[in-house]
Amino acid sequence: QLTEHDVLGVLEQSEQKDELTQKYLERRLEKAMDAGPDYHKCPGENCNYRFVWKPGEQPAFECPACEAAFCLACAGVGDDMPVGPGHPGRTCAEQKVKLAQDAEERRKYEAWK
């Protein structure tokens, strides 16, 4: 099995050593962060920003990389979104009520047309 020293030695000999070394270090960091329960990846599509968040902390999250807003305490919509969209100015309970009202309005509109 290769050690980190072996891998870095091989990368050092490559013509693309800077790019490959950077990718290797990024993957290592991702793997280390995936191992910890408090390390999270931004839920934004195509965003790789990583951050630390523990349950009980402020759930509002605005990603400094992709600028998307999420609520880390709300359940997401569908399997590919583990958290809900941001809802500044509303509690999670208020957001849940608003989403239910919006769904009911859509249902009424669809029945009307």
Side-chain angles (χ1 to χ4, degrees):
Q1 180 162 352
L2 291 175
T3 66
E4 182 175 345
H5 179 74
D6 296 332
V7 172
L8 291 173
V10 170
L11 292 175
E12 186 63 36
Q13 296 172 15
S14 170
E15 290 179 16
Q16 301 169 324
K17 68 179 177 183
D18 293 337
E19 180 183 339
L20 292 174
T21 300
Q22 182 65 32
K23 284 183 180 182
Y24 171 74
L25 294 175
E26 286 171 5
R27 293 292 297 153
R28 249 187 93 218
L29 177 60
E30 285 176 18
K31 188 174 180 181
M33 293 185 87
D34 287 342
D38 298 333
Y39 296 106
H40 303 277
K41 179 182 173 295
C42 173
E45 189 176 337
N46 301 319
C47 184
N48 289 318
Y49 184 79
R50 302 283 178 150
F51 62 99
V52 175
W53 181 78
K54 298 175 185 175
E57 293 182 342
Q58 171 67 7
F61 172 69
E62 290 186 32
C63 181
C66 72
E67 300 181 355
F70 301 95
C71 178
L72 302 174
C74 287
V77 180
D79 293 333
D80 27 331
M81 182 67 87
V83 299
H87 48 83
R90 282 191 215 103
T91 65
C92 295
E94 292 169 337
Q95 177 70 357
K96 188 174 183 177
V97 168
K98 176 159 180 10
L99 290 174
Q101 290 171 339
D102 290 350
E104 178 63 15
E105 289 299 318
R106 277 192 302 281
R107 186 196 63 73
K108 287 179 182 179
Y109 174 74
E110 290 299 321
W112 175 79
K113 31 179 233 193

